[in-house]
């Protein structure tokens, strides 16, 4: 069975859309439709029912999806083994990360890795967290940088860093006079924040409600610059990671810490336990462990909030 067809099928199944799958595969929707049709002809079964509401997987698609992940994972493993045997081959590691991690670790992390392992290149791509979990489970990435919660039974982890959050308000907003924000202070304020594709979202909503806030979510978005801009325009109150907010705020925006000091995100490097590490993977895993141990204090100083901005 053609691996390319299976990969196309997996994308359509996960996104429930020909157009979204085409965007992820960098092909036209027509090409995706043709590949799905070819796969259906090969199997002699309809994989999706099509309606004005979109695509609905059939029972055959559900069965194929489970098998496809196993096949694609095995194909990836086999390619990796042959790459390891190629003496002069540049090895590639595919790493999915939640937004902001490469920026927090800084370019120095990658440069130091390349200095130590010039024959290993990193394909480091940022995604929302729920798709990353699917990519890990199907073996389509070697590692992932993810926040809690993490399934420690099925995944090995290395703690990487923690960061806190700030409430972002226009300097003319009444809340700008506060030195710390209680959750209930945000009652009646439209809120702009990262949304439900991020694993912290349901935990944060629970946190807000327990703190006396009935959150009025104006916008869910992954772009921190626009979260800050919403505050700049006095359109809403933004909630963003401190180290990301500091990059975009100016004299029109005040970033205020929360009274709740437990409002933090802990980020880990994650690997599937059932997937035996190759030599290349072990190099990255061990390097990350040692590099973080040596540079954790420097990272804390690098991302310490600026008094001038905050």
């Amino acid at each position: 069975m053609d691996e390319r067809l299976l990969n196309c099928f997996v994308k359509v199944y996960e996104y429930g859309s020909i157009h979204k799958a085409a965007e992820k595969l960098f092909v036209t929707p027509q090409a995706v439709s043709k590949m799905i049709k070819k796969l259906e002809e090969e199997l002699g079964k309809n994989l999706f029912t099509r309606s004005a509401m979109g695509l609905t997987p059939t029972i055959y698609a559900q069965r194929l999806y489970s098998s496809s992940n196993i096949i694609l994972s095995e194909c990836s493993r086999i390619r990796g083994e042959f790459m390891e045997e190629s003496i002069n081959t540049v090895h590639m590691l595919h790493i999915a990360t939640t937004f902001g991690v490469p920026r927090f670790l800084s370019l120095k992390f990658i440069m130091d890795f390349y200095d130590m392992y010039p024959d290993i290149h990193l394909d480091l791509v940022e995604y929302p967290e729920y798709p990353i979990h699917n990519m890990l489970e199907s073996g389509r990435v070697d590692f992932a940088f993810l926040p809690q919660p993490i399934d420690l039974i099925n995944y090995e982890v290395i703690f990487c860093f923690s960061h806190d959050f700030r409430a972002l308000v226009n300097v003319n907003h009444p809340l700008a006079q506060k030195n710390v924000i209680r959750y209930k202070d945000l009652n009646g304020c439209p809120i702009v924040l990262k949304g439900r594709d991020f694993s912290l979202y349901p935990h944060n909503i629970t946190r807000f409600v327990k703190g006396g806030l009935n959150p009025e979510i104006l916008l869910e978005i992954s772009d921190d610059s626009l979260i800050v801009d919403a505050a700049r325009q006095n359109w809403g109150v933004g909630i963003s990671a401190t180290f990301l907010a500091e990059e975009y705020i100016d004299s029109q925006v005040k970033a205020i810490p929360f009274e709740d000091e437990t409002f933090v995100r802990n980020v880990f490097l994650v690997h599937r336990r059932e997937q035996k590490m190759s030599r290349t993977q072990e190099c990255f895993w061990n390097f990350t462990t040692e590099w973080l141990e040596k540079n954790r204090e420097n990272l804390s100083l690098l991302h310490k909030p600026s008094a001038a901005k905050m």
Side-chain angles (χ1 to χ4, degrees), residues 66-81:
S66 177
S67 299
S68 295
N69 287 328
I70 296 172
I71 294 169
L72 291 171
S73 177
E74 188 66 10
C75 288
S76 177
R77 183 190 65 78
I78 292 170
R79 278 196 300 272
E81 286 184 357

Side-chain angles (χ1 to χ4, degrees), residues 211-245:
L213 168 63
N214 182 21
E216 181 184 331
I217 308 298
L218 176 64
L219 176 66
E220 299 175 17
I221 191 167
S222 62
D223 190 331
D224 288 270
S225 68
L226 291 182
I227 294 176
V228 175
D229 200 35
R232 182 181 295 111
Q233 303 294 331
N234 211 3
W235 189 55
V237 173
I239 297 179
S240 176
T242 301
F243 77 95
L244 292 171

Side-chain angles (χ1 to χ4, degrees), residues 83-299:
M83 286 179 64
E84 296 290 343
E85 294 175 1
S86 303
I87 298 175
N88 297 317
T89 299
V90 173
H91 308 299
M92 181 72 74
L93 283 178
H94 301 282
I95 303 169
T97 116
T98 185
F99 288 99
V101 170
R103 203 170 306 162
F104 191 96
L105 292 176
S106 77
L107 187 61
K108 178 175 171 54
F109 172 78
I110 299 172
M111 293 174 65
D112 287 352
F113 179 79
Y114 277 23
D115 284 344
M116 184 171 290
Y117 300 105
D119 61 329
I120 304 175
H121 285 191
L122 304 179
D123 174 24
L124 196 64
V125 185
E126 294 175 295
Y127 294 96
E129 287 149 22
Y130 289 124
I132 294 178
H133 284 284
N134 290 332
M135 297 166 77
L136 265 177
E137 289 171 9
S138 63
R140 283 178 285 154
V141 293
D142 298 284
F143 299 105
F145 286 98
L146 284 169
Q148 291 173 307
I150 297 171
D151 178 2
L152 297 180
I153 295 177
N154 293 311
Y155 295 112
E156 296 180 80
V157 301
I158 296 172
F159 171 71
C160 296
F161 61 86
S162 294
H163 67 78
D164 62 359
F165 295 86
R166 299 286 167 119
L168 311 174
V169 299
N170 184 279
V171 291
N172 295 315
H173 194 285
L175 290 178
Q177 305 306 313
K178 291 184 172 291
N179 293 321
V180 294
I181 294 289
R182 298 172 300 172
Y183 297 132
K184 62 183 180 181
D185 293 334
L186 299 178
N187 276 314
C189 298
I191 296 173
V192 180
L193 77 175
K194 282 186 166 66
R196 59 201 74 211
D197 274 343
F198 295 85
S199 57
L200 274 179
Y201 181 86
H203 300 278
N204 288 344
I205 295 299
T206 301
R207 182 190 299 272
F208 297 159
V209 172
K210 286 183 177 179
L213 168 63
N214 182 21
E216 181 184 331
I217 308 298
L218 176 64
L219 176 66
E220 299 175 17
I221 191 167
S222 62
D223 190 331
D224 288 270
S225 68
L226 291 182
I227 294 176
V228 175
D229 200 35
R232 182 181 295 111
Q233 303 294 331
N234 211 3
W235 189 55
V237 173
I239 297 179
S240 176
T242 301
F243 77 95
L244 292 171
E246 190 176 35
E247 292 193 26
Y248 304 110
I249 64 174
D250 54 24
S251 60
Q252 295 302 306
V253 179
K254 184 176 180 182
I256 311 172
F258 284 87
E259 182 181 60
D260 180 6
E261 295 181 353
T262 68
F263 188 15
V264 298
R265 183 173 75 156
N266 299 312
V267 176
F268 299 82
L269 178 63
V270 181
H271 180 264
R272 283 194 310 158
R273 290 187 184 276
E274 66 180 33
Q275 181 184 13
K276 183 179 178 181
M277 286 194 200
S278 65
R279 184 198 68 84
T280 301
Q281 291 170 334
E282 287 178 346
C283 288
F284 184 78
W285 185 264
N286 294 333
F287 168 85
T288 301
T289 303
E290 295 169 7
W291 191 92
L292 287 169
E293 186 175 338
K294 293 177 183 177
N295 292 276
R296 204 177 301 282
E297 184 175 345
N298 292 334
L299 286 175

Side-chain angles (χ1 to χ4, degrees), residues 8-20:
C8 176
F9 161 75
V10 167
K11 288 290 191 298
V12 174
Y13 184 95
E14 291 179 350
Y15 290 99
S17 165
I18 293 289
H19 287 272
K20 287 183 180 179

Side-chain angles (χ1 to χ4, degrees), residues 1 6 9 36-47 60-61 63-65 68:
M1 187 172 289
L6 280 181
F9 161 75
I36 294 298
K37 183 178 180 181
K38 183 175 180 181
L39 189 55
E40 288 178 326
E41 290 174 350
E42 184 176 334
L43 296 172
K45 302 291 183 182
N46 289 330
L47 297 173
Y60 304 109
R63 289 164 55 187
L64 179 61
Y65 179 70
S68 295

